[in-house]
Amino acid sequence: MEVISQPITRLDNIRGNFVRLYDALKAQGFHQEAKEILTKAVEQGFFFDPMQRPVNLIEGLESMPVHNSQDFPIVEFLESHFDIIREEVIALQSEVRQQAFCDVEEPLIDAGRWQEIVFFEAGARSKKSCDLFPKTSSVLDALPLEVKEAGVIMLSMLEPQTHIVPHCGHTNGRLRVHMGILIPNDVVLRVKEEYVTWTEGQCLVIDDSYEHEVWHYGETPRIVLIVDIFHPQLSKVDKERLRTKSSSVESRVGEFMEQNHLKVIQRTAEGIRFEPNEYMGKKVARYLSQISCSMVRLSDGSMEMSSEEVPMADMVL
């Protein structure tokens, strides 16, 4: 089905508003009201299932929370190279591993720690990650270009006693392949109403546009290789549209800056410095003028204000 970009963008915005309202109500304890919001969204045709809430929803695709992994040729390829990847992960010293993995940005854990190391994102190859895992990267380099462009390829690590809260992926146009690398006991994944776990050397294929959640009650880190693939029924038009939406990391940085009214992002020795664009700069200047201060710092919900001139280094966010 050919999709026209403008209506889809408008629908994406509406679905996003439903999701944000649902999340906000649920976070404040209004669980019944949150359910009613999803019921209304399904009744009006914005979602097909209250447990499947992708902002970018593509119609006409066969939909199930957990797919038969043997239906996907990539599974045989990944599983045939499991030993190479696992040995390299184990060989990496724990302190180096801690430096290599980065915390997942999304606020999706209420306990523990969730980290990742990305090899490919939207077709862009991370030289730093690939240099750290040369054998693993040689395996991933052999994947078809379409796989590398579909989304993200990464190692995902959960520390013991971690809980990833219920959430939905951005689109049903992609499926997510998980191959177990280091899997302790007592780790559970829920996708909609199906409960599964990982097995070392074997792949799961899930549709993460369904609500999913993870509990890690084990005693050692859980590490899986994650590879995004396009849904097998996705049309060429929709594949190209998803590629365009993902596009390059550079374009997403630009989109982030536009959405947040930023003119400059700079990494310094002190941290990350943000400089607002003209619109936001004038708005902030007006607020500061009205409260007669030159600096405001927000920490744990409390606000600290000062009328003294503050060095730029102290203004780093």
Side-chain angles (χ1 to χ4, degrees):
M1 178 183 67
E2 186 171 349
V3 182
I4 302 173
S5 60
Q6 186 58 38
I8 288 296
T9 300
R10 180 176 61 84
L11 291 176
D12 286 0
N13 290 336
I14 294 173
R15 293 190 190 100
N17 288 331
F18 270 115
V19 169
R20 284 186 286 273
L21 181 56
Y22 168 78
D23 289 341
L25 287 170
K26 192 174 179 182
Q28 294 298 318
F30 297 102
H31 298 285
Q32 184 58 40
E33 291 82 355
K35 290 181 180 179
E36 291 173 359
I37 286 295
L38 291 186
T39 300
K40 180 67 68 175
V42 172
E43 289 175 351
Q44 295 182 356
F46 293 110
F47 298 118
F48 304 140
D49 183 330
M51 295 283 278
Q52 186 184 29
R53 307 183 294 276
V55 171
N56 176 243
L57 181 63
I58 300 172
E59 298 183 15
L61 302 179
E62 182 181 359
S63 181
M64 62 186 74
V66 181
H67 288 251
N68 182 354
S69 63
Q70 300 308 308
D71 291 340
F72 301 87
I74 189 176
V75 166
E76 181 180 359
F77 174 82
L78 292 176
E79 291 180 354
S80 69
H81 292 87
F82 161 71
D83 289 336
I84 295 173
I85 298 172
R86 185 177 188 274
E87 287 174 5
E88 191 166 50
V89 170
I90 291 175
L92 196 67
Q93 295 180 356
S94 59
E95 58 268 22
V96 178
R97 185 189 300 168
Q98 291 174 359
Q99 295 174 3
F101 282 79
C102 299
D103 290 338
V104 174
E105 299 99 341
E106 292 86 355
L108 294 175
I109 60 171
D110 61 6
R113 193 176 191 186
W114 181 17
Q115 294 183 298
E116 64 189 13
I117 181 167
V118 176
F119 296 98
F120 285 89
E121 189 168 5
R125 184 180 188 271
S126 170
K127 184 178 184 302
K128 180 179 179 181
S129 300
C130 291
D131 287 349
L132 193 60
F133 292 86
K135 295 179 180 179
T136 299
S137 66
S138 67
V139 173
L140 302 178
D141 286 338
L143 289 170
L145 179 61
E146 181 173 281
V147 173
K148 299 171 190 174
E149 293 179 342
V152 67
I153 301 176
M154 64 183 177
L155 286 170
S156 171
M157 179 168 64
L158 284 186
E159 296 289 350
Q161 310 306 312
T162 296
H163 175 220
I164 301 178
V165 300
H167 64 287
C168 295
H170 182 76
T171 181
N172 64 328
R174 299 186 186 93
L175 301 179
R176 183 152 276 194
V177 182
H178 287 206
M179 183 168 72
I181 305 299
L182 295 175
I183 308 300
N185 295 327
D186 300 323
V187 186
V188 180
L189 165 67
R190 175 182 67 84
V191 189
K192 193 178 180 181
E193 296 172 344
E194 296 190 41
Y195 290 82
V196 296
T197 191
W198 297 269
T199 300
E200 292 183 3
Q202 296 182 16
C203 290
L204 290 172
V205 180
I206 69 169
D207 183 341
D208 77 337
S209 67
Y210 282 97
E211 181 178 287
H212 53 289
E213 182 176 13
V214 180
W215 298 266
H216 182 356
Y217 300 117
E219 298 179 353
T220 57
R222 181 235 62 175
I223 299 180
V224 299
L225 176 69
I226 295 179
V227 179
D228 285 340
I229 58 174
F230 288 124
H231 192 291
Q233 297 174 341
L234 200 65
S235 70
K236 291 182 179 179
V237 171
D238 285 332
K239 286 181 182 179
E240 186 57 36
R241 186 169 59 81
L242 285 181
R243 285 191 187 97
T244 302
K245 274 184 168 292
S246 298
S247 59
S248 65
V249 175
E250 289 84 356
S251 66
R252 274 176 285 158
V253 171
E255 182 179 353
F256 167 81
M257 293 178 70
E258 287 183 1
Q259 291 175 346
N260 291 278
H261 305 286
L262 298 173
K263 182 170 67 174
V264 174
I265 299 177
Q266 181 182 8
R267 184 166 60 183
T268 71
E270 293 83 10
I272 305 298
R273 182 179 70 87
F274 293 152
E275 181 180 336
N277 63 12
E278 183 179 7
Y279 160 77
M280 186 58 68
K282 289 181 178 179
K283 188 173 185 178
V284 171
R286 176 168 61 84
Y287 288 158
L288 293 178
S289 176
Q290 289 173 341
I291 58 178
S292 300
C293 73
S294 58
M295 185 276 289
V296 177
R297 179 181 284 113
L298 192 65
S299 178
D300 297 327
S302 61
M303 184 178 293
E304 174 191 350
M305 296 185 294
S306 172
S307 59
E308 299 177 0
E309 290 296 325
V310 180
M312 183 61 71
D314 292 340
M315 297 176 67
V316 172
L317 302 179

